[in-house]
Amino acid sequence: MESDYRTLPLAGNGLWFLQPRHKLLDWFVGANHRSGFSTFEITVPSLPPAIVISDPKNVEHVLKNEQVFVKGTFFRSRSWDLFGNGIINADGDLWRVQRKAGLRFFSNANLEVFLDEALPQILDDTERLLDGTVKGQEIVDMQAVFLELTTRLMGKMAYDMDMPASLPFSKAFDYASGAIGDRFQNPFWKIKELLFGTRLRRAFFEVKRFGSDIVSLNVARRQKFSVTMNEAAKGVNPLKNNLINSLLEHIPDHQVVADAAMNYLSAGRDTTAQSLTWTLYLLLRYPQQQAPLIDELARTFPSVPRSSSLQDITYEHAQPSVLPYTHSIFTETLRLCPPVPMELKECVAPTTFPDGTWLPKGSVVIWVPWAMGRSHRIWGEDSQHFKPERWLNAAGSIGLQKSAFEFPVFNGGPRICLGKKLAELLAVVVLARLIWRYEFTEVMDKSLGGCGIGGERKSQNSLTLPMEDGLPVTVKMREHLAG
């Protein structure tokens, strides 16, 4: 095992961890390109001993051995104020009972209802909003548009609630998530929050209050209508078998249910909205990739008039076998812009990795999907380029297959992401409808929120990958619709 470069006596790698998160991620990419699959050690004052792994065999060792590698006290001590006992923080039986509730919710039957009944109504509203910006020649932040869409969808799907992103909890959660992310980078976070933490404490309170309100509302509904999960499952509408009912059925402690509800809400709305934002951004930076997408849609929907919206796209259309190029665009975005760019676990027993690295109890292991997605050894010398076609074979079907340990965007092993299929199919439907209907142009003027000619959008400090200052664009109807 080697120590990574650019370390200083006493400070170790700590100075890099004090940099904005996007600079830290670039540092990990550089380390990956130099070290390949080699495991290296990093030292940050006040943090436990830590190693960084990039070899897929080592990642597999971590993800498949949940008795040895856990969230642990290091992670929970930093994330507890926001996630509490929710699934993001949980280990053992507490994790298993929340996952069981989630499995019931993310069934194929429910996914079909979400995409064919709940999503079209919300997308219709999104199109009306964008149509208005076309008429008024307004600048619109697409990250905010996507967040509104995913928040409303998760609210309807998971909690049977009208939940716009403008609710106070949304801004509170975004602010708190950024602060939690800072706790993992800044060894002096306790001092910082002691001196300047008033706004953060208010944000935590607002998030907890909102989670409790969700639970209280749905407990009252269950009492009023005497609806059990078994009765709901017999109903005509599978959405009645929603996530909050499943959580209440499996977990007696309502505070744990509230924590779980907010964890699932975060995972469902934030990561998907952010991934859609980065997908649109990459399509704007690589405009040549839009033509094959539109051609695929035209071939798949030949009966749809060129002057019409793709309102008839369904769950069946969204499958990789039907729209492989559209899928490849989203998958390629996840490779370059993973919604959780850095992961870590704590080792609760001594262990030896497949490459021979020995790790003592209490150490932290880090793997960085952001850097692994740019690994020359996994993806080739063109790993830093946006090439959706890398996922397709000569026949134009999905051909490239990577294991969850080479491509750990959706985690792997027992903790593989429950929402993987939903995120992929949802993204395909949203991209198909919006790219078919609109031409987007990125605003570059810094005075209008752009990043300047030659500049690039960056991620902001967070546990996930929000785009700093959003994605300002102008919108116009595609020519085949404008006429």
Side-chain angles (χ1 to χ4, degrees), residues 134 280 283-284 287 290-291 293-294 297 306-307 431-440 475-483:
V134 170
L280 179 57
L283 285 173
L284 296 179
Q290 294 187 41
L293 168 57
I294 294 171
L297 296 173
R306 297 288 284 185
S307 59
L431 288 173
R433 282 192 56 167
L434 297 190
I435 298 300
W436 174 267
R437 185 173 180 82
Y438 305 106
E439 290 183 28
F440 298 92
V475 188
K476 68 177 184 178
M477 305 299 290
R478 285 211 176 268
E479 290 186 4
H480 62 245
L481 289 168

Side-chain angles (χ1 to χ4, degrees), residues 103 130 156 174 228 349 424 445 453:
L103 279 168
L130 294 177
K156 178 63 176 176
D174 292 344
T228 66
E424 292 171 338
D445 189 333
I453 301 298

Side-chain angles (χ1 to χ4, degrees), residues 157-200:
M157 287 166 36
Y159 312 116
D160 198 18
M161 293 174 60
D162 183 19
M163 191 182 291
S166 58
L167 291 174
F169 101 90
S170 187
K171 288 186 177 180
F173 191 95
D174 292 344
Y175 182 79
S177 181
I180 295 296
D182 185 60
R183 288 180 176 183
F184 287 95
Q185 286 186 226
N186 186 352
F188 310 112
W189 64 270
K190 289 185 179 180
I191 297 173
K192 177 182 176 182
E193 291 180 13
L194 181 65
L195 297 174
F196 309 107
T198 301
R199 181 183 174 188
L200 178 59

Side-chain angles (χ1 to χ4, degrees), residues 106 111 264 272 410 416-425:
F106 285 108
L111 294 185
Y264 273 111
T272 308
F410 290 104
I416 192 166
C417 176
L418 288 174
K420 176 179 184 295
K421 188 172 183 179
L422 172 62
E424 292 171 338
L425 298 182

